[in-house]
Amino acid sequence: MKITRRKLLIGAGAGVVVAGGAAVTPMLLRDSVLEATTSRALPVAGDDTLPASADVVIVGAGMIGVATALYLAERGLSVVICEKGVIAGEQSSRAYGQVTSYGLDGITELIQHSKYLWRGMNEKIGADTSYRSYGRVQACANDEDVAKVEAWLAEARHQAPEHAPIRARFIEGAELEERLPGARTPWKTAFLQEDDGSIEPAIGASMLARYVQTQGVKIVTNCAVRGFETEGGAVSGVITEKGPIRAKTVVVAGGYWSRLFCGNAGINLPLLPVYLSQQRISDVAGAPPACGHAGIVVWRKEVDGSYSNGPRYLTAPIIRDSFALAADFLPHLPKHLGGLHMDLALNRDLVRSFQTPRSWKMDEVSPFELARVTAPTPNNELLDTSLSWLRGEFPVFENAKVVERWGGVVNVANDLIPVISDIESVPGLFVSSGFDFGLTQGPAAGQLMADMITGETPKVDPKPFHLSRLL
């Protein structure tokens, strides 16, 4: 059975609502429980004090928040980022790290533009973000696999912008052997997307954060934003645990926490979480280069020579929002699920979700102050299985050692397209959240948000990302 990335994610999000006829594993007390943890990100020192005012306040110092600040600061705006914990401490340092557009339907323009921005980022900031544009392979076992890739490529090339076309081709023979050295499966060919790349989750957002600080952006860490204030119906500032900041524009880029933040203000942001598990293993001689996907096996070589690997299965926690959003996700099941296998988690996350306050006043401690850096525990059973798959396809990994394991969480919409949008009912309020591949999409999403705020002509069509499509 072949499972596309988008079927996997939508199935996990919808699956927490109801099995919907898909093949699912039993709902047991599984690994992957949201807990307090330490950051994986390269440390970046934050500020301790608040400014009295700013042009823009951004809630969240992950990849999306930092990238938004980068492009706003370029245009001369004063920007403050408030982060409840540490910079890039949650999902931005826990992603898989492949920078690719393959299989991500409906957002090709955004991703291709983002890859275009990534290719020039090291030069732009004068530092190594860890981004490498060395291509990604998608192995094809038969004519059916090839036809599937060809159909996707034809549509994606139509959607890609002129300045960032998709550069891709099929490879075989010696070049195929070079990309899949020692593979046990007799692959017919492989689809090489030459404009794909890789970025280290623990490095990328941190390096951008260091750069924006040199451009005047103030990042206040351990400073949760409890909510925003309005005057005449429009945004007038935010209230943080350290005090107020006057601002006429607020961007909510809180990742997993964005729905809860918006909900306290009566704004429905219909996103559901899914958990991922990843591992880093030691380098071995003769291993495949770059990054790729061969059947059920995925890999990505890191800049230090080690490898990232994770299963193509995610864990979908059953929580309070699973029931609240059933009507939003259920209609999408027939299109996205098919014969999907997924891992549903029925554990203490459900109890925690009912215990978490859904509303609070600005002078009360918010839930964000009680969860500085959180992430799901890794699903070790799935990671063991994933490593066995990798070793089965590439025997050279038999001697590789597990260096590190971690979990992450992303929130997804029912169509798997992020929300990059103004909030029409509250002038001055914007949301940038719901990214399943935020590292890939981060620079373009940040620039698009900056275009929307400043009124410049967007480099990417903003219509597909507006919140109204989900309501």
Side-chain angles (χ1 to χ4, degrees):
M1 178 184 66
K2 293 181 173 60
I3 303 174
T4 68
R5 169 166 45 196
R6 298 197 64 78
K7 279 187 176 182
L8 178 63
L9 286 168
I10 192 68
V16 298
V17 181
V18 64
V24 297
T25 54
M27 293 181 268
L28 302 175
L29 299 176
R30 297 188 177 279
D31 287 342
S32 293
V33 177
L34 202 64
E35 291 185 348
T37 188
T38 57
S39 171
R40 294 189 68 249
L42 182 71
V44 181
D47 292 299
D48 295 322
T49 58
L50 294 179
S53 63
D55 293 324
V56 182
V57 173
I58 298 173
V59 182
M63 173 59 74
I64 303 302
V66 170
T68 301
L70 187 157
Y71 292 103
L72 287 170
E74 279 187 349
R75 300 169 198 196
L77 276 68
S78 61
V79 181
V80 176
I81 306 176
C82 292
E83 167 57 50
K84 67 182 178 63
V86 300
I87 295 167
E90 295 186 329
Q91 184 54 27
S92 291
S93 59
R94 298 169 183 278
Y96 186 65
Q98 287 191 2
V99 179
T100 180
S101 54
Y102 182 72
L104 298 176
D105 303 325
I107 52 176
T108 299
E109 182 186 25
L110 181 77
I111 297 175
Q112 288 301 118
H113 182 57
S114 202
K115 289 194 288 186
Y116 169 81
L117 294 174
W118 270 126
R119 287 194 290 272
M121 194 63 74
N122 288 351
E123 181 179 0
K124 181 183 184 70
I125 72 171
D128 188 1
T129 63
S130 77
Y131 177 75
R132 300 291 186 270
S133 183
Y134 48 36
R136 175 187 180 275
V137 290
Q138 181 81 20
C140 299
N142 49 47
D143 291 340
E144 181 182 354
D145 287 351
V146 172
K148 178 182 175 182
V149 173
E150 289 177 333
W152 174 85
L153 181 59
E155 180 61 26
R157 279 181 164 157
H158 176 72
Q159 297 176 10
E162 291 185 5
H163 69 275
I166 292 178
R167 294 185 291 108
R169 57 191 174 87
F170 286 92
I171 60 174
E172 54 187 27
E175 190 172 12
L176 178 61
E177 171 61 25
E178 182 181 353
R179 289 279 179 168
L180 303 175
R184 282 180 168 164
T185 301
W187 299 104
K188 174 183 178 66
T189 183
F191 174 63
L192 173 61
Q193 196 162 340
E194 297 172 293
D195 59 334
D196 279 354
S198 168
I199 192 166
E200 307 305 325
I203 298 175
S206 293
M207 295 305 294
L208 291 189
R210 290 181 177 182
Y211 174 73
V212 301
Q213 287 176 322
T214 69
Q215 304 305 297
V217 174
K218 193 176 185 70
I219 307 178
V220 186
T221 51
N222 292 304
C223 181
V225 178
R226 293 174 175 173
F228 59 88
E229 294 187 308
T230 61
E231 291 180 5
V235 166
S236 61
V238 298
I239 300 296
T240 79
E241 63 179 293
K242 296 183 178 182
I245 307 175
R246 296 190 306 275
K248 293 185 177 180
T249 303
V250 172
V251 179
V252 181
Y256 168 78
W257 303 97
S258 293
R259 172 171 166 78
L260 185 61
F261 181 92
C262 290
N264 187 50
I267 299 167
N268 180 24
L269 187 61
L271 305 174
L272 282 176
V274 289
Y275 297 166
L276 59 86
S277 294
Q278 299 292 316
Q279 61 193 341
R280 189 162 60 89
I281 58 179
S282 60
D283 186 18
V284 291
C291 55
H293 177 199
I296 55 178
V297 177
V298 292
W299 69 93
R300 181 181 64 81
K301 189 167 186 177
E302 303 206 2
V303 293
D304 67 355
S306 61
Y307 280 78
S308 285
N309 165 258
R312 305 295 289 180
Y313 298 87
L314 303 186
T315 299
I318 298 176
I319 60 174
R320 179 176 179 174
D321 284 343
S322 305
F323 307 100
L325 295 178
D328 294 309
F329 280 80
L330 284 175
H332 293 260
L333 289 178
K335 176 181 177 182
H336 292 291
L337 279 181
L340 176 65
H341 285 264
M342 57 186 164
D343 195 21
L344 304 183
L346 180 60
N347 52 38
R348 64 178 181 271
D349 278 346
L350 177 61
V351 176
R352 176 194 54 78
S353 68
F354 277 94
Q355 294 174 337
T356 300
R358 312 297 286 190
S359 63
W360 56 91
K361 297 178 181 179
M362 295 301 103
D363 59 353
E364 295 178 337
V365 174
S366 69
F368 317 118
E369 293 154 69
L370 305 177
R372 298 296 182 185
V373 180
T374 59
T377 54
N379 188 320
N380 290 303
E381 180 181 356
L382 285 180
L383 289 173
D384 288 342
T385 300
S386 181
L387 185 55
S388 69
W389 289 340
L390 183 66
R391 288 169 170 165
E393 184 64 34
F394 300 104
V396 295
F397 281 108
E398 283 293 341
N399 296 321
K401 306 297 184 183
V402 175
V403 177
E404 178 188 12
R405 284 180 167 177
W406 66 89
V409 56
V410 295
N411 264 16
V412 295
N414 56 29
D415 59 4
L416 293 180
I417 293 176
V419 175
I420 309 171
S421 175
D422 65 317
I423 302 301
E424 295 176 340
S425 60
V426 186
L429 182 64
F430 296 80
V431 172
S432 190
S433 196
F435 294 85
D436 52 358
F437 287 83
L439 290 188
T440 291
Q441 302 162 22
Q447 190 180 71
L448 175 57
M449 180 58 69
D451 290 339
M452 295 166 61
I453 290 171
T454 60
E456 295 192 16
T457 302
K459 318 304 185 294
V460 174
D461 183 4
K463 292 179 182 178
F465 310 103
H466 201 274
L467 177 60
S468 60
R469 76 181 195 275
L470 300 174
L471 303 177

